[in-house]
Amino acid sequence: MARASGLTVRTLRYYDRIGLLRPTRRTGGGHRVYGEEEVRRLYRILLMRGAGLSLGEVGRALDDPGWDLPGAVRAHLSSLDGRLSAAHRLRDRLSAMAATLDRADVPTAVEFFEAMEEMTMLDSAVRRRVSILVYDDIEAVHGHLVRVFGLGAGPLARDGQGRCVHGEVDAGDGVIWLHRRAPEYGLDSPATLGAATATTAVMVESVDDHYRRAVAEGAEIVYAPVDQPYGYREYSARDPEGGLWSFMAPLG
């Protein structure tokens, strides 16, 4: 499964742990066994991750009864048009799968495996942008960003001692990773530095509504909503460790 999908075994184990992709069963030796349904589910996961969705967004979409597998395959097929010759074999494979789905039939696990193998052969230098912010207390900041700023709650990961070493939050069409302090790599929290070295800007539907929510939840406001000369209305606030955030929307 890992070899066909291009994922690591560790990633598949993580998907199992967070409930994103459960194996059908386990062997007596503890090996995970995946069935036809799990192969199709992984194919959907790869499609959505390739489109830039966070794991939290993928999990919610997988449980949507309105998910259209034939439409998703055809959309994926369309997105490959115009790519370099490396995509041609995958395009032929997806064409066959789309034709099968149009006949109200479901491709076999083998066909999904072959499609995933060909997906891994596509060469693209840049796949996705992920913002990474560094904090001392990841769990506390994660809770603040969700409760006060209204970001989507992604997963938290812990080490063998139970310490939170990684977190994720969803911000619209992007995902933000919360990284542990790592002075050995020059990574530190704004609280340790005594200053923020960057600002995270998030687009919202209504700046004033978002501002009122943040104030009601006890946010540390840097400045209230204001119309900026560069065409955006925005306000700024700090998270518990001094990270600087701007919430904005275009004027007009």
Side-chain angles (χ1 to χ4, degrees):
M1 188 76 126
R3 186 165 54 249
S5 65
L7 301 175
T8 64
V9 173
R10 182 178 182 181
T11 297
L12 289 176
R13 289 173 178 167
Y14 180 64
Y15 285 0
D16 181 8
R17 181 157 60 86
I18 65 175
L20 192 63
L21 181 69
R22 301 278 195 195
T24 306
R25 61 183 178 86
R26 292 175 184 265
T27 66
H31 294 292
R32 292 167 173 82
V33 178
Y34 296 90
E36 296 259 353
E37 183 60 34
E38 288 70 41
V39 172
R40 290 193 289 271
R41 186 178 176 90
L42 180 57
Y43 175 76
R44 292 168 61 187
I45 292 171
L46 293 178
L47 280 182
M48 288 184 280
R49 290 294 277 171
L53 273 69
S54 69
L55 288 179
E57 292 169 326
V58 169
R60 290 189 288 274
L62 286 172
D63 296 326
D64 181 1
W67 169 265
D68 176 19
L69 180 57
V73 172
R74 286 192 294 270
H76 189 194
L77 172 62
S78 177
S79 72
L80 293 171
D81 289 338
R83 296 278 298 272
L84 299 175
S85 59
H88 290 172
R89 287 187 299 274
L90 175 59
R91 192 182 193 284
D92 291 342
R93 178 70 57 189
L94 290 173
S95 294
M97 292 172 64
T100 301
L101 289 163
D102 284 339
R103 296 193 301 269
D105 196 3
V106 178
T108 66
V110 172
E111 289 175 281
F112 278 109
F113 265 121
E114 290 171 342
M116 287 189 288
E117 287 171 342
E118 289 166 359
M119 287 168 69
T120 64
M121 298 175 66
L122 294 175
D123 182 24
S124 177
V126 178
R127 297 292 182 91
R128 187 186 182 200
R129 172 188 52 82
V130 176
S131 299
I132 301 178
L133 303 177
V134 181
Y135 293 105
D136 182 44
D137 190 339
I138 292 174
E139 189 166 11
V141 172
H142 182 278
H144 181 93
L145 298 180
V146 172
R147 177 179 58 82
V148 178
F149 293 160
L151 302 188
L156 292 170
R158 303 179 187 277
D159 62 15
Q161 287 71 50
R163 295 172 299 193
C164 189
V165 295
H166 175 83
E168 296 182 19
V169 291
D170 299 330
D173 63 349
V175 61
I176 299 172
W177 288 2
L178 311 180
H179 195 286
R180 66 175 179 84
R181 292 177 57 236
E184 65 272 25
Y185 298 117
L187 298 175
D188 225 326
S189 164
T192 304
L193 297 174
T197 61
T199 299
T200 302
V202 179
M203 296 292 178
V204 296
E205 184 173 352
S206 169
V207 172
D208 293 272
D209 288 348
H210 195 278
Y211 169 76
R212 284 190 286 269
R213 168 190 171 142
V215 170
E217 292 291 344
E220 179 187 346
I221 303 299
V222 177
Y223 56 83
V226 60
D227 293 346
Q228 300 288 7
Y230 43 84
Y232 285 83
R233 182 168 179 79
E234 70 175 23
Y235 81 92
S236 183
R238 293 192 185 275
D239 61 41
E241 295 193 18
L244 192 59
W245 295 74
S246 289
F247 298 93
M248 58 179 62
L251 292 171

